Amino acid sequence: SAMHNPIRWLNTWARSVDLKALPLLGDQVLRLSTLVEEGLSLTHVDVPDPGASLSLESLQGQIEKPWANLLSLQKVELDLQHPPKGLVWIASNHAIQALVGLVEPLLNQIPEGNKLVGTWSQDPGIWILQLKFPMVCHVPTPDPWTSRTIQAAGIRWKWADQILSFSFAQGPE
């Protein structure tokens, strides 16, 4: 079921053949590739994912690109605060694709002409990314793969008052 969104996007793109959608097509192919890789790895001996330490700038760059591509097609502005200096620990190589997959259905709910604003904050031992959605958006409902992957990566998320918050453990300096 995690492959449903990328396949739906590919189908929509193929029908519209909108050249502005080419970057989005690349994003969806990358998601499918990640999901297939995950599925293949499950058929072999389960080796724990070693995880990685990422700068906040690198993390934001990886999630911002597919979100910006999708929102530009919808004529919605993406305003993510420049990330502060810092590191996060993500205990899964597939966490980025899972985060993108959790947020993408919400992005599809944002009406044209709106803005999605994201801000960073810090609590002891964690970095927090908060995304403020318009009132028309509803609580995300992740598919089982997305939910499992985000949880296994050590990322916590919550939805309250139209704000989707992600909490990431600070990485070692």
Side-chain angles (χ1 to χ4, degrees):
S1 67
M3 290 187 199
H4 178 72
N5 280 342
I7 291 171
R8 187 176 64 226
W9 271 106
L10 290 171
N11 186 34
T12 300
W13 180 81
R15 281 183 282 146
S16 71
V17 190
D18 183 349
L19 295 180
K20 293 183 294 184
L22 283 176
L24 184 59
L25 176 64
D27 296 338
Q28 297 307 312
V29 169
L30 178 62
R31 279 186 64 202
L32 280 172
S33 174
T34 300
L35 293 168
V36 168
E37 180 183 313
E38 172 78 3
L40 291 173
S41 72
L42 294 176
T43 62
H44 302 294
V45 176
D46 252 351
V47 176
D49 193 339
S53 188
L54 289 173
S55 70
L56 293 177
E57 188 170 22
S58 175
L59 171 63
Q60 181 167 313
Q62 291 180 56
I63 59 178
E64 186 173 16
K65 180 184 174 277
W67 294 348
N69 288 338
L70 176 56
L71 290 173
S72 71
L73 287 174
Q74 295 173 220
K75 297 181 176 85
V76 172
E77 183 181 345
L78 177 60
D79 182 14
L80 292 182
Q81 173 189 13
H82 186 75
K85 298 275 186 228
L87 297 172
V88 293
W89 177 258
I90 299 180
S92 171
N93 293 327
H94 303 296
I96 303 299
Q97 292 300 319
L99 288 174
V100 169
L102 177 68
V103 174
E104 196 170 73
L106 291 169
L107 301 180
N108 285 319
Q109 296 174 34
I110 302 174
E112 182 177 319
N114 278 273
K115 179 192 278 191
L116 176 65
V117 176
T119 58
W120 287 96
S121 61
Q122 185 178 24
D123 280 346
I126 61 170
W127 285 102
I128 302 163
L129 174 60
Q130 293 186 317
L131 302 172
K132 175 73 172 141
F133 286 87
M135 292 303 291
V136 297
C137 296
H138 305 288
V139 64
T141 53
D143 60 77
W145 179 86
T146 298
S147 185
R148 184 177 60 252
T149 302
I150 289 173
Q151 184 177 9
I155 301 168
R156 301 294 170 247
W157 68 274
K158 75 175 184 175
W159 174 266
D161 300 322
Q162 299 306 117
I163 296 175
L164 179 60
S165 299
F166 293 104
S167 299
F168 303 91
Q170 281 184 315
E173 296 292 327

